[in-house]
Amino acid sequence: MQICATIPEARAASRDAHSSGKRLGLVPTMGALHEGHLSLVRAAKAQCDSVAVSIFVNPTQFGPTEDLSKYPRQFDRDCQLLEKEGVDVLFAPSVDEMYPDGQVSWVLVEGLSEKLDGRSRPGHFRGVTTIVAKLFHILEPDAAFFGQKDAAQLAVIRRMVRDLNFPVEIVACPIVREPDGLAMSSRNAYLNREERAQALVLQHSLQQMQQEFQNGERIAAKLISSAKKVFAREPQVALDYLEIVDPDTLDPVERISQQTLVAVAAYVGSTRLLDNLVLNP
Ligand code: AMP
């Protein structure tokens, strides 16, 4: 695996990996890798000839009071995991490399970026789309792999790619969960034992909605109301949002008549966790 810290090195490595018509897949990450990330790498390996992974804790997608400084970093372990998966190129730049002094240009997907996580984390998606656009320009992948776990992020990136004509296929990969159902996340490492147990309420609220949906309930407000009752059983967990939306526009849906996204975010202690479910009538 070739490890690149600078943009010229990464560009050269990706052009090399691309040579003679090879299909290059990119998996963007912030590191502290777990099985969720590795599932994206495996999907990329299966669908592409060469795979590049990026590890970059992107400061512009964190708010001023968020966890940027304490975000888990375990570079050596991540390298070993990626090496074992047979990754060809690892791009792990510094903040100065990606954001030299004086950067004033941003990529903003208007509208979508203010919904769901964008509402609770102003500026978050502007940071995400800017860094993903930069990675696409630097590495020029044919396909890029993202987790369905961050469903709003996926919608925003798909829209950016469509609106700005990036020549890249966006591939969504299913949520990877712990054996008890908690969606894997680098932030799960923040949870103490008690919080780890409380965190299951996200998954339980979604299961409740899925059950009622399977029993024929199609009115979003009713599904949300019973999921909120599940949340009420875990008073230590503060619900951020629980919404039933169109998976492309992220606009609320009143009655479920086509594929619909149920997305939830909640604070378990000071840790913000996400989960979601797709309902298909
Ligand atoms: P992150 O390092 O948190 O920025 O995540 C990098 C990529 O991994 C994103 O596309 C995430 O959606 C994806 N990802 C994170 N957790 C999971 C998971 N549990 N299952 C599937 N993909 C995930």
Side-chain angles (χ1 to χ4, degrees):
M1 181 171 75
Q2 187 177 348
I3 301 178
C4 308
T6 69
I7 292 169
E9 270 179 291
R11 212 167 240 154
S14 90
R15 291 206 168 148
D16 222 29
H18 243 152
S19 59
S20 53
K22 281 192 192 159
R23 180 173 157 88
L24 176 69
L26 170 65
V27 180
T29 81
M30 298 205 299
L33 302 179
H34 51 65
E35 279 296 315
H37 297 112
L38 299 182
S39 75
L40 307 188
V41 172
R42 288 171 199 145
K45 286 286 291 179
Q47 296 180 34
C48 301
D49 305 302
S50 303
V51 174
V53 173
S54 60
I55 294 182
F56 182 62
V57 183
N58 174 34
T60 64
Q61 69 189 68
F62 287 78
T65 61
E66 293 182 353
D67 58 340
L68 174 62
S69 61
K70 70 164 189 168
Y71 195 84
R73 289 159 217 251
Q74 21 185 276
F75 187 68
D76 293 342
R77 183 177 170 274
D78 289 350
C79 285
Q80 285 168 16
L81 289 171
L82 295 176
E83 188 95 57
K84 235 167 68 194
E85 296 294 332
V87 167
D88 301 283
V89 177
L90 170 59
F91 181 39
S94 65
V95 172
D96 287 344
E97 183 71 10
M98 290 308 268
Y99 294 110
D101 279 349
Q103 164 157 341
V104 291
S105 307
W106 299 95
V107 178
L108 175 63
V109 177
E110 289 181 350
L112 260 72
S113 292
E114 289 87 55
K115 292 175 180 155
L116 300 185
D117 304 281
R119 190 176 325 116
S120 322
R121 305 180 68 188
H124 170 67
F125 284 130
R126 183 184 80 155
V128 170
T129 41
T130 299
I131 198 66
V132 171
K134 285 164 76 81
L135 291 170
F136 285 177
H137 284 310
I138 293 164
L139 296 162
E140 300 175 315
D142 299 289
F145 295 76
F146 293 90
Q148 172 65 27
K149 186 188 148 250
D150 299 276
Q153 168 172 286
L154 200 53
V156 171
I157 288 170
R158 279 193 199 284
R159 184 62 75 91
M160 173 188 83
V161 163
R162 193 196 78 175
D163 288 354
L164 299 181
N165 309 97
F166 280 90
V168 54
E169 180 194 351
I170 301 301
V171 182
C173 300
I175 302 177
V176 176
R177 298 179 178 281
E178 299 288 353
D180 63 2
L182 181 68
M184 286 192 183
S185 162
S186 305
R187 290 190 167 97
N188 290 352
Y190 298 149
L191 303 172
N192 64 31
R193 246 186 64 191
E194 217 175 319
E195 291 167 339
R196 174 65 183 73
Q198 294 163 353
L200 288 176
V201 73
L202 279 85
Q203 162 74 349
H204 291 160
S205 70
L206 293 175
Q207 281 168 342
Q208 173 71 30
M209 293 166 104
Q210 180 153 45
Q211 189 60 55
E212 293 189 16
F213 178 76
Q214 277 164 1
N215 292 343
E217 183 57 79
R218 294 290 181 269
I219 308 297
K222 290 196 176 159
L223 293 170
I224 290 175
S225 150
S226 45
K228 283 190 174 166
K229 285 186 193 138
V230 176
F231 259 94
R233 288 188 224 139
E234 210 55 90
Q236 304 300 327
V237 177
L239 187 59
D240 178 3
Y241 66 72
L242 173 60
E243 291 195 43
I244 299 187
V245 299
D246 179 293
D248 298 321
T249 64
L250 305 181
D251 284 329
V253 164
E254 283 179 14
R255 193 172 194 292
I256 301 166
S257 56
Q258 54 193 6
Q259 185 162 292
T260 300
L261 172 70
V262 184
V264 60
Y267 289 91
V268 183
S270 56
T271 305
R272 190 169 178 282
L273 298 180
L274 306 183
D275 203 343
N276 69 77
L277 165 74
V278 174
L279 295 177
N280 239 322

